[in-house]
Amino acid sequence: MDIIFGRNKKEQLEPVRAKVTGEVYYRSKYLRSDTYKANIEANRIVVSEFGTMAYPDPCKNIFSKAFSYLSHTIPDFTDNCLINIMKCGEDFYATTETNYIRKINPQTLETLEKVDYRKYVAVNLATAHPHYDAAGNVLNMGTSIIDKGKTRYVVFRIPAAAPENKKGTNPLKHTEVFCSITSRSLLSPSYYHSFGVTENHIVFLEQPFKLDILKMSTAYIRGANWASCLAFHKEDKTYIHVIDQRTRKPLPTKFYTDPMVVFHHVNAYEEDGCLLFDVITYEDSSLYELFYLANLNQDFEENCRLTSIPTLRRFAVPLSVDKNAEVGSNLIKLTSTTAKALKEKDDQVYCQPELLYEGLELPRINYARNGKPYRYVFAAEVQWSPIPTKILKYDVLTKSSLKWGQEHCWPAEPLFVPTPGAQDEDDGIILSAIVSTDPQKLPFLLILDAKSFTELARASIDVEMHLDLHGLFIPDTDWDARKPALSQEERDRAPDSCVAPQA
C-alpha cells in the first residue's frame, strides 16, 4: 500500500504512447507552485499545508523565529492547487480550497502565473468546485474571514469574457460579488467543499463541521496543523440556505436538518414549487482523519475504516411557505420523493431527507443536466473504506444501479463524456484512470459505454501513475496540429480528435 500512497511518483514530462487502437497519450507533471519550489529548494517543508505545519529554520536567530510566528497569525495559504481544474474564459486554472489558483497550459502542463482571488474579491478560502452556465460564466463561493467585523460566505461570479468595451483584459478582473450570507459564528465558519445551483436558486449548506479561527491564528506557534482547527459539532444543526438568483437574496424561511458532513453536491433542480437537491452525506468527519500521512501505510486498506458510510440523500425545500400551515405538517406534496419539510414554530422548517443509496462518493452527472431534472449519477463505489473499489451508475428514478470492477483495481472519479449530438442523458462514455495494487498490472485509462456500463476499451501505460481520486480529462485541442507528424498507418487509425488524460 505504501507504494501507492507513501511515495512520490516520478514525473512523466513527455507524452507516453498508450497501448490501444487509436490515439491516447498520458502525461503528468508536478505543479510548479511557489510552495513546491520553496520546499524543493530547502529540501524540507517550509510552507504550511492543510495537514502539515512548517516550522522556522532551526538555523535562524530568535528574532527571525519570532517574526515567523507573527507572520503566521493570519496565515498565507498554500498555492498547491491539487483538487480540480477550472476553465475561466479561454484559460485553465488548477484550483484548491485557498485563495490561490494557478494558471496552467493544458497541453504541456506548464505552470503559469499565480492568481490571488483576493485581488478581485474579498475571500480567504474558496471552493474548488465552481459551476458554469451555458455561456461559460463561472459561479463560485468563498469565505471572507472577519472582514469589516463579519465573517461571510460570498458567492462570486467570473464572466466568460471581458465586457465589450474592455476586450483583451482578463475576465478575472471583472469578478463581481453576486451575494453574501453572514456566518452564524464570527470565529467558527462552516467548512464546505461544494454547493448546488438550479436555474433560479443557489443552495448552500452551513454545516456543523467548523473552522476555529482562534485556533488557526495560534496554530503555527503551537506547532499544530490547520486540519486540527476543524471540528465536527454533533450537537449543532445543519442550516440550508437557499438564495434566489433573481433577487440575489436568501429566502427568509430558516431551513435546517440534522448534523452532517457534506463534501459533494450531486445536483439540484426545481419541481412544482419545490427545490430538490441531492448530496453525499456523512454522519461525522472521520473521512478527513484517514488521510494523514501516518495512516497511509501498508495496512491502510485493512486498518482504515470510516465510522460513517457515505450516503446519497435527497432533500426537498418548499420555495414558498404557507404561514397558515399547521405546525408539524409536511410542506412537500410531491409524489416523486419521500423527502419531507416539516413546519415548526418561529418560521423554521425541519428537512428530513430521502435515502437514495449507501456507499458512493465522487459523484458526476451529465453536466448538461446541471441545475435541471436528471436521472443518472456516475460515481465511485465506496463502503467503509475511503478507497473506491468499483465504478457505479445509479438511476435516481428506478433506484437501480450498474457497476464495473476488477480485482486489485482502484478507479479514480468517473467522468461522463457525451456523444456529440446525443439525445439521451446517458448517451456517451465513462472515463476513469485505474491503478492497481498488483505491481504486475499496468495502470490504464478505462472507457465504458455509459448506457450499458460495458467496457469499450482500455489504454495501458507503462509508467508510475498517481492514485488521483478526483479525475479530469481535457480535450486535446492541439491534436490536429500534431496528427500530420504521425505515420500514415497511425493517421489512418486515429480519430478526428483525441482525449488526453491530464494530471
Side-chain angles (χ1 to χ4, degrees):
M1 208 61 56
D2 63 331
I3 294 175
I4 293 177
F5 276 120
R7 301 180 185 176
N8 289 331
K9 301 297 184 182
K10 295 179 180 177
E11 296 179 314
Q12 186 62 47
L13 299 180
E14 296 301 321
V16 173
R17 178 73 179 276
K19 299 173 183 177
V20 66
T21 301
E23 286 301 310
V24 175
Y25 286 86
Y26 171 81
R27 172 182 277 167
S28 68
K29 189 174 185 180
Y30 286 111
L31 187 78
R32 261 49 177 190
S33 61
D34 291 353
T35 298
Y36 173 92
K37 291 185 287 189
N39 290 343
I40 291 295
E41 183 177 350
N43 198 31
R44 66 186 185 92
I45 295 177
V46 296
V47 179
S48 298
E49 298 285 351
F50 186 75
T52 308
M53 184 61 71
Y55 302 103
D57 189 333
C59 297
K60 285 184 176 180
N61 61 42
I62 190 170
F63 299 105
S64 296
K65 289 183 180 180
F67 179 78
S68 294
Y69 286 133
L70 289 172
S71 65
H72 276 72
T73 300
I74 301 177
D76 187 21
F77 293 109
T78 179
D79 66 334
N80 267 345
C81 302
L82 47 71
I83 296 178
N84 200 6
I85 303 293
M86 177 180 74
K87 190 174 189 297
C88 183
E90 298 300 315
D91 299 322
F92 292 88
Y93 294 87
T95 64
T96 184
E97 296 187 319
T98 73
N99 52 287
Y100 291 118
I101 57 178
R102 293 298 305 234
K103 187 176 178 181
I104 63 167
N105 183 313
Q107 273 72 49
T108 66
L109 303 187
E110 179 185 1
T111 303
L112 304 175
E113 59 260 35
K114 174 181 176 179
V115 174
D116 186 347
Y117 271 138
R118 292 176 299 183
K119 290 178 61 177
Y120 312 110
V121 60
V123 293
N124 304 89
L125 305 166
T127 87
H129 290 291
H131 287 276
Y132 307 88
D133 63 18
N137 301 306
V138 179
L139 194 69
N140 203 1
M141 280 194 68
T143 300
S144 178
I145 299 175
I146 318 181
D147 178 43
K148 298 178 182 178
K150 292 185 178 181
T151 294
R152 294 183 175 91
Y153 310 109
V154 179
V155 180
F156 58 95
R157 181 179 177 273
I158 307 171
E164 284 292 326
N165 60 341
K166 296 184 179 179
K167 279 196 170 182
T169 62
N170 189 331
L172 281 162
K173 293 182 178 180
H174 305 282
T175 300
E176 64 165 336
V177 172
F178 190 82
C179 65
S180 66
I181 300 170
T182 302
S183 170
R184 297 181 67 85
S185 171
L186 176 67
L187 298 176
S188 297
S190 169
Y191 170 82
Y192 54 99
H193 188 74
S194 60
F195 63 103
V197 298
T198 70
E199 292 179 310
N200 299 306
H201 295 86
I202 297 167
V203 185
F204 166 62
L205 299 179
E206 189 174 14
Q207 54 194 354
F209 190 29
K210 299 179 181 180
L211 180 63
D212 190 316
I213 302 302
L214 290 180
K215 282 187 176 180
M216 175 174 278
S217 67
T218 61
Y220 187 75
I221 197 168
R222 291 184 295 111
N225 58 47
W226 288 319
S228 68
C229 304
L230 275 170
F232 179 62
H233 300 264
K234 61 182 179 181
E235 71 281 359
D236 288 353
K237 301 173 182 177
T238 299
Y239 293 91
I240 303 169
H241 299 282
V242 179
I243 301 163
D244 190 323
Q245 293 198 49
R246 295 158 294 192
T247 64
R248 300 192 177 193
K249 294 180 179 179
L251 299 187
T253 305
K254 296 180 177 66
F255 301 103
Y256 78 95
T257 188
D258 297 322
M260 63 183 185
V261 173
V262 170
F263 298 108
H264 294 113
H265 282 249
V266 181
N267 198 14
Y269 62 93
E270 296 164 30
E271 180 183 335
D272 294 337
C274 294
L275 186 151
L276 294 91
F277 64 93
D278 298 342
V279 289
I280 309 294
T281 72
Y282 294 81
E283 294 179 357
D284 58 35
S285 58
S286 62
L287 176 66
Y288 259 55
E289 304 298 321
L290 299 186
F291 283 96
Y292 278 100
L293 194 60
N295 293 330
L296 304 181
N297 55 35
Q298 287 187 329
D299 300 320
F300 178 81
E301 192 173 17
E302 293 75 22
N303 295 341
C304 284
R305 289 289 181 266
L306 292 166
T307 57
S308 167
I309 191 170
T311 303
L312 175 61
R313 297 183 187 271
R314 170 164 292 179
F315 288 83
V317 173
L319 294 173
S320 62
V321 175
D322 182 1
K323 292 187 177 181
N324 296 319
E326 292 184 7
V327 171
S329 63
N330 181 18
L331 303 175
I332 304 300
K333 308 302 181 184
L334 302 175
T335 59
S336 61
T337 181
T338 60
K340 297 178 181 179
L342 305 176
K343 186 179 180 183
E344 296 185 347
K345 296 179 181 179
D346 304 322
D347 200 30
Q348 291 196 87
V349 174
Y350 167 67
C351 297
Q352 189 178 84
E354 175 187 3
L355 171 62
L356 296 179
Y357 193 87
E358 291 186 324
L360 77 168
E361 250 295 6
L362 303 173
R364 286 282 185 145
I365 63 170
N366 180 339
Y367 201 75
R369 307 306 307 168
N370 190 54
K372 304 173 184 177
Y374 78 117
R375 184 170 177 176
Y376 301 109
V377 181
F378 304 101
E381 183 179 64
V382 293
Q383 294 296 324
W384 295 103
S385 167
I387 299 303
T389 55
K390 294 180 181 179
I391 302 173
L392 172 77
K393 175 186 180 182
Y394 180 72
D395 187 330
V396 299
L397 180 63
T398 65
K399 309 297 191 291
S400 60
S401 62
L402 296 173
K403 300 178 184 180
W404 178 94
Q406 284 188 1
E407 191 176 8
H408 304 302
C409 285
W410 287 2
E413 178 179 22
L415 300 183
F416 175 80
V417 181
T419 300
Q423 298 298 315
D424 296 335
E425 184 181 334
D426 61 346
D427 187 2
I429 61 170
I430 296 296
L431 301 177
S432 180
I434 311 293
V435 300
S436 175
T437 56
D438 180 356
Q440 303 302 315
K441 193 168 189 175
L442 295 177
F444 59 94
L445 171 66
L446 174 69
I447 304 173
L448 299 177
D449 181 290
K451 278 185 176 291
S452 64
F453 243 50
T454 55
E455 184 173 331
L456 296 176
R458 64 175 65 187
S460 301
I461 47 173
D462 192 7
V463 300
E464 287 187 316
M465 190 164 76
H466 299 261
L467 173 64
D468 187 359
L469 297 181
H470 277 299
L472 184 79
F473 296 83
I474 299 175
D476 189 349
T477 55
D478 196 39
W479 172 246
D480 289 337
R482 293 195 288 106
K483 192 173 177 181
L486 303 177
S487 67
Q488 184 60 51
E489 180 184 359
E490 289 174 319
R491 289 200 300 271
D492 291 341
R493 293 202 314 261
D496 291 332
S497 63
C498 175
V499 175
Q502 306 283 349

